[in-house]
Amino acid sequence: MRDMKQTAGRTQLGEFAPTFAQVNDDVLFGEVWADETLDMKTRSTIVISVFMGRGLITDALRHHLQYAKDNGITREEIAAIITHAAFYAGWPVAWAVFALAKDVWSEEE
């Protein structure tokens, strides 16, 4: 994602909330995600864990699961991440995230 220019904020909220859209695209994705202190797999793991902990089982999580796959997280690794987080975020949340993850990783092999 470091090489990708994010436009989702502007696309979805540009006219309604231009400042929020600009911060989303340029700061969150343009600077925070681009900071090389953490590798992309670690960033994806953090985001998925936070979404799970907050119970945010939304399309945004589906997109972050796809980013995680694109960032090199394997099917085995995502299963381990979700299983580990289930003990902290809740078992029903994990079931919901597994449903999304199965869709994302279904294209594999």
Side-chain angles (χ1 to χ4, degrees):
M1 193 175 327
R2 283 189 172 102
D3 297 331
M4 183 176 86
K5 175 139 176 77
Q6 180 61 260
T7 60
R10 286 181 178 86
T11 300
Q12 295 177 32
L13 294 174
E15 291 183 29
F16 188 80
T19 301
F20 183 90
Q22 181 269 321
V23 170
N24 180 83
D25 294 352
D26 299 343
V27 178
L28 173 58
F29 287 98
E31 295 177 24
V32 175
W33 272 88
D35 180 330
E36 295 186 4
T37 305
L38 297 174
D39 63 59
M40 299 303 277
K41 286 176 74 170
T42 301
R43 289 183 188 283
S44 286
T45 300
I46 291 166
V47 171
I48 291 163
S49 299
V50 170
F51 268 69
M52 285 183 67
R54 302 287 312 237
L56 298 171
I57 314 306
T58 65
D59 282 340
L61 176 56
R62 180 185 301 276
H63 291 295
H64 279 288
L65 288 166
Q66 183 61 56
Y67 294 150
K69 183 179 178 185
D70 295 345
N71 288 332
I73 292 180
T74 66
R75 182 183 308 188
E76 293 77 18
E77 289 171 328
I78 196 63
I81 291 165
I82 296 168
T83 300
H84 186 80
F87 286 92
Y88 300 93
W91 214 249
V93 170
W95 274 98
V97 177
F98 271 122
L100 296 177
K102 281 178 63 178
D103 285 344
V104 171
W105 273 267
S106 68
E107 304 138 15
E108 219 173 75
E109 296 152 310

